[in-house]
Amino acid sequence: MSSIPGYNESLVSHQTFVLIGIPGMQEKNSWVAFPLFVLYALTLLGNITILYVIKTNQSLHEPMYFFLSMLACSDLGLCISTMPTILSVYWFDSGEIPLNGCISQMFFIHILQAIESGILVAMAFDRLVAIRDPLRYRSLLSNSVIAKIGIAILSRGLCVCFPFPFLIKRLPFCRSNVLSHSYCLHQDAMKLACADIKVNIFYGLIIAVCTLGTDIVIILASYVIILKTVLSIASHEECFKALNTCVAHVSAILIFYVPMISIAVVHRYGKHLSPIVHMLMANTFVMVPPLLNPLVYCVKTRQIRQRVWNILHFKKKLGLIFLPK
């Protein structure tokens, strides 16, 4: 550690961080706790329902729904990774987290970001093949091809995020140990280091450009080709039908990338903004995509909507049968 520029060996590095809820209004945390718990319960229920519906219905064992299952698993992972610390901060006013626990959490959050971005790219490719070459859709996206795509997405996430724990672990933290959010992020923790963090900033920028930036470009290129293909269709009804199959995916893209880009801009250029703005953006970043994705796909995908309705209707019938007469 002594080789790190600016580090004084007489200073003791913090081994814990403190997570915060509503900045300057900690007494109001308990008012936010129950709504957060409800949102997390709905997130878990929604994504588990999507997985259950796809698993138990043979007609949904198609490429589009396999990719949707991957998205639901990624959203569940993000929810489970952040839920314990967020609820402990808001419900129990317990914000202390060990350094290693914080590093583990930020690793899982960042890897799940990279994985979800990769899944959205795969889903864009799925829509491209389905619209541009529908006759070869299932042969081009066979189960083995989908499995390979899933492994590639997971491997890429692991490779790009593997250095993050080591980049943070090497830093001494001898200033404040209070983080800006109720969970750990690399860009938030590194600001508290009392050493040179240029390597962390440079690596984070490279990863953002090479993964998220590249993914956005690929998705945009895919939709340019999709639009050209759809506009060449003579029938307006078929054109509308083809575009309608992309609405849920486009919504998922906006739900994922808009909060992510917003929090990156706020971290970089919003130092003058109120801490409450940072808190709201941070919670939106980890809570909105996992919560809204199942809802969007239930509303916009007829097959899933019908299956969910059948489950709810069946449970209603069971309730009527077992009601005391």
Side-chain angles (χ1 to χ4, degrees):
M1 225 180 247
S2 59
S3 61
I4 299 174
Y7 177 66
N8 187 338
E9 289 187 5
S10 64
L11 299 174
V12 178
S13 181
H14 298 301
Q15 292 304 305
T16 60
F17 284 116
V18 177
L19 305 171
I20 62 170
I22 306 173
M25 294 187 290
Q26 278 75 12
E27 69 280 359
K28 303 289 186 183
N29 282 346
S30 57
W31 290 92
V32 183
F34 184 71
L36 283 177
F37 174 77
V38 172
L39 289 177
Y40 269 121
L42 291 173
T43 300
L44 292 171
L45 179 63
N47 286 287
I48 290 170
T49 300
I50 291 286
L51 291 171
Y52 174 78
V53 166
I54 293 172
K55 179 177 172 56
T56 55
N57 288 273
Q58 193 68 31
S59 62
L60 298 182
H61 291 184
E62 295 183 1
M64 173 184 172
Y65 300 106
F66 288 140
F67 288 127
L68 179 55
S69 297
M70 294 181 193
L71 187 67
C73 288
S74 174
D75 285 338
L76 277 175
L78 186 60
C79 179
I80 293 168
S81 298
T82 57
M83 179 169 51
T85 57
I86 291 178
L87 289 181
S88 68
V89 167
Y90 284 98
W91 209 307
F92 304 108
D93 288 325
S94 175
E96 194 168 283
I97 182 172
L99 175 62
N100 289 334
C102 188
I103 290 173
S104 299
Q105 186 182 52
M106 73 174 65
F107 172 75
F108 282 110
I109 289 173
H110 289 299
I111 193 175
L112 287 165
Q113 283 178 341
I115 288 172
E116 185 149 342
S117 183
I119 293 169
L120 291 173
V121 172
M123 295 175 88
F125 178 68
D126 167 78
R127 291 298 84 210
L128 175 62
V129 174
I131 291 172
R132 192 172 177 82
D133 200 354
L135 297 178
R136 294 200 300 157
Y137 176 59
R138 293 197 180 187
S139 61
L140 289 173
L141 289 173
S142 62
N143 290 349
S144 61
V145 170
I146 292 170
K148 289 174 183 176
I149 291 173
I151 292 170
I153 291 170
L154 179 61
S155 301
R156 186 191 73 158
L158 283 169
C159 289
V160 299
C161 295
F162 183 74
F164 276 129
F166 301 100
L167 289 174
I168 285 291
K169 189 75 173 176
R170 73 187 184 92
L171 295 173
F173 297 94
C174 44
R175 297 174 186 156
S176 171
N177 66 337
V178 180
L179 295 171
S180 305
H181 310 312
S182 46
Y183 58 87
C184 295
L185 279 180
H186 173 258
Q187 57 265 42
D188 190 22
M190 70 179 184
K191 292 177 182 177
L192 301 180
C194 47
D196 188 5
I197 58 171
K198 288 179 182 176
V199 174
N200 297 66
I201 295 171
F202 186 63
Y203 185 75
L205 182 61
I206 289 174
I207 294 306
V209 172
C210 294
T211 56
L212 302 179
T214 303
D215 289 349
I216 291 172
V217 170
I218 294 171
I219 290 170
L220 288 174
S222 299
Y223 272 96
V224 168
I225 299 171
I226 287 171
L227 282 173
K228 287 178 67 178
T229 304
V230 168
L231 292 175
S232 66
I233 299 173
S235 168
H236 290 293
E237 185 179 344
E238 289 183 11
C239 179
F240 177 77
K241 190 176 179 181
L243 285 175
N244 197 44
T245 64
C246 300
V247 171
H249 179 240
V250 171
S251 300
I253 291 169
L254 294 175
I255 289 167
F256 177 73
Y257 284 112
V258 170
M260 177 180 289
I261 294 170
S262 299
I263 195 172
V265 171
V266 166
H267 267 287
R268 182 68 180 85
Y269 301 106
K271 295 175 184 177
H272 63 285
L273 296 175
S274 166
I276 294 178
V277 174
H278 288 262
M279 182 272 294
L280 290 173
M281 290 302 306
N283 288 342
T284 299
F285 165 66
V286 296
M287 294 184 64
V288 169
L291 176 66
L292 292 187
N293 281 336
L295 182 62
V296 166
Y297 275 93
C298 278
V299 170
K300 296 304 298 180
T301 309
R302 181 181 56 81
Q303 294 90 332
I304 292 179
R305 185 172 65 248
Q306 187 62 48
R307 297 304 189 283
V308 171
W309 171 252
N310 289 343
I311 292 171
L312 295 174
H313 192 58
F314 177 70
K315 288 184 176 180
K316 185 178 178 181
K317 280 185 175 180
L318 281 180
L320 290 173
I321 290 171
F322 289 105
L323 277 175
K325 296 181 179 179

